[in-house]
């Protein structure tokens, strides 16, 4: 006879099927957290590296003209004085060849900011010219196309008759540019007549290969130094971009004069 009080079997422990899922989720969350932390650290390092790479090394100078703050050129700018021609035969220049300071202006007949500079700042710069302290040399880069190139040839032809300033004054009359419809060959001849030029000689020079070659060389010189927009200036060897306030140019010229003394 079997014992009525025989030992019962111990119940088998059963795990819910949900438990492994929970474990997997927790583990995945932990892994994701660790990866996120490492990624954040790497991103911070990358950002720091990028900032360091963007900061220029000492002594490295930018190529081409760059904008400068009010008060003149930055002291570490590249010296671009060699762009000055100082040629007594240059018809697109005013002021003594040996003036202590020179400005080279890269311009365009259709550039409204060039017209504004001509109206607002040039009169002050001419005071330095008349005092024998400043020379200004112009180069047309013709970034606005065919009409600008035609106007540049016309301006050069006018300069060959010693009427450069008068002719340019009509192109930028009142600080405004002329509409492109006025920059046709006939329109440019009309301007020549207004300043008292020999129009037959003017037309001959404007269409001559020699003038076309010089105008192209002037434009290429501007592009070679990075003057892709106008106006661009080299003031005492230092670049300035744009028709900035007159005070910027006064300060730059005064600083250069002070260094020359």
């Amino acid at each position: 006879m079997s014992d009525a009080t025989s030992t019962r079997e111990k119940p088998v422990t059963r795990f819910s099927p949900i438990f492994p899922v929970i474990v997997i989720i927790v583990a995945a969350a932990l892994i994701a957290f660790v990866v996120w932390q490492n990624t954040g650290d790497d991103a911070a390092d990358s950002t720091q590296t990028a900032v360091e790479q963007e900061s220029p090394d000492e002594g490295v100078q930018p190529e081409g003209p760059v904008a400068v703050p009010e008060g003149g050129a930055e002291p570490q700018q590249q010296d671009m004085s060699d762009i000055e021609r100082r040629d007594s035969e240059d018809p697109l220049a005013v002021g003594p060849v040996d003036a202590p300071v020179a400005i080279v202006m890269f311009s365009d007949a259709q550039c409204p900011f060039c017209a504004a500079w001509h109206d607002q700042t040039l009169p002050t710069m001419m005071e330095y010219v008349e005092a024998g302290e400043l020379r200004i040399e112009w180069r047309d880069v013709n970034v606005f196309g065919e009409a600008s190139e035609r106007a540049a040839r016309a301006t050069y032809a006018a300069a060959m008759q010693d009427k450069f300033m008068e002719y340019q004054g009509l192109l930028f009359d009142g600080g405004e540019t002329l509409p492109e419809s006025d920059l046709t060959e006939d329109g440019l001849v009309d301007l020549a007549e207004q300043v008292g030029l020999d129009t037959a000689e003017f037309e001959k020079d404007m269409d001559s290969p020699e003038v076309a070659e010089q105008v192209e060389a002037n434009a290429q010189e501007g592009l070679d130094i990075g003057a892709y927009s106008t106006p661009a200036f080299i003031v005492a060897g230092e670049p300035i971009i744009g028709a900035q306030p007159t005070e910027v140019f006064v300060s730059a010229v005064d600083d250069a004069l002070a260094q020359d003394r």
Side-chain angles (χ1 to χ4, degrees):
M1 174 182 277
S2 60
D3 186 358
T5 60
S6 59
T7 305
R8 296 180 180 175
E9 295 182 2
K10 294 182 178 180
V12 177
T13 302
R14 297 183 182 274
F15 292 97
S16 170
I18 298 176
F19 183 75
V21 176
I22 295 174
V23 171
I24 293 172
I25 292 173
V26 172
L30 289 172
I31 293 172
F33 177 76
V34 172
V35 171
W36 176 78
Q37 285 286 86
N38 291 336
T39 302
D41 293 341
D42 292 341
D45 293 341
S46 299
T47 301
Q48 180 65 28
T49 302
V51 170
E52 292 173 353
Q53 290 175 345
E54 288 175 2
S55 300
D57 295 333
E58 285 189 21
V60 176
Q61 302 296 337
E63 296 181 0
V66 294
V68 298
E70 184 171 347
E74 294 174 342
Q76 293 185 349
Q77 288 285 5
Q78 178 182 355
D79 184 1
M80 302 180 72
S81 299
D82 58 352
I83 207 71
E84 301 168 7
R85 290 180 183 166
R86 302 284 185 156
D87 181 359
S88 61
E89 301 300 317
D90 185 355
L92 305 181
V94 296
V97 173
D98 59 351
V101 181
I103 294 177
V104 180
M105 178 180 184
F106 293 92
S107 183
D108 189 296
Q110 296 187 88
C111 166
F113 300 106
C114 299
W117 189 88
H118 184 278
D119 183 63
Q120 298 168 12
T121 301
L122 180 58
T124 300
M125 295 296 99
M126 288 301 295
E127 295 176 10
Y128 289 91
V129 170
E130 292 162 5
E133 298 175 321
L134 179 66
R135 178 175 177 82
I136 307 176
E137 302 176 357
W138 278 265
R139 318 267 199 276
D140 285 307
V141 290
N142 312 318
V143 294
F144 287 91
E146 182 179 345
S148 294
E149 189 272 340
R150 188 164 51 246
R153 288 189 287 108
T155 302
Y156 201 95
M160 292 174 69
Q161 295 188 45
D162 299 322
K163 293 288 187 178
F164 165 63
M165 293 296 287
E166 293 87 344
Y167 196 86
Q168 182 176 245
L170 291 183
L171 289 174
F172 292 148
D173 189 28
E176 301 286 341
T177 58
L178 296 176
E180 187 170 343
S181 59
D182 286 352
L183 299 180
T184 62
E185 186 160 341
D186 287 343
L188 294 167
V189 172
D190 286 343
L191 294 181
E193 189 172 2
Q194 290 182 42
V195 297
L197 295 178
D198 179 334
T199 55
E201 186 68 21
F202 172 83
E203 289 186 75
K204 176 184 175 182
D205 290 336
M206 182 172 65
D207 294 331
S208 70
E210 294 79 12
V211 168
E213 181 179 350
Q214 186 59 61
V215 166
E216 181 179 356
N218 288 345
Q220 188 60 52
E221 183 176 45
L223 297 178
D224 286 345
I225 67 164
Y228 300 112
S229 62
T230 53
F233 304 86
I234 307 298
V235 183
E238 304 289 352
I240 296 178
I241 292 296
Q244 297 194 37
T246 300
E247 292 75 14
V248 173
F249 294 91
V250 169
S251 179
V253 172
D254 284 346
D255 288 348
L257 288 172
Q259 292 176 14
D260 186 69
R261 293 188 179 106

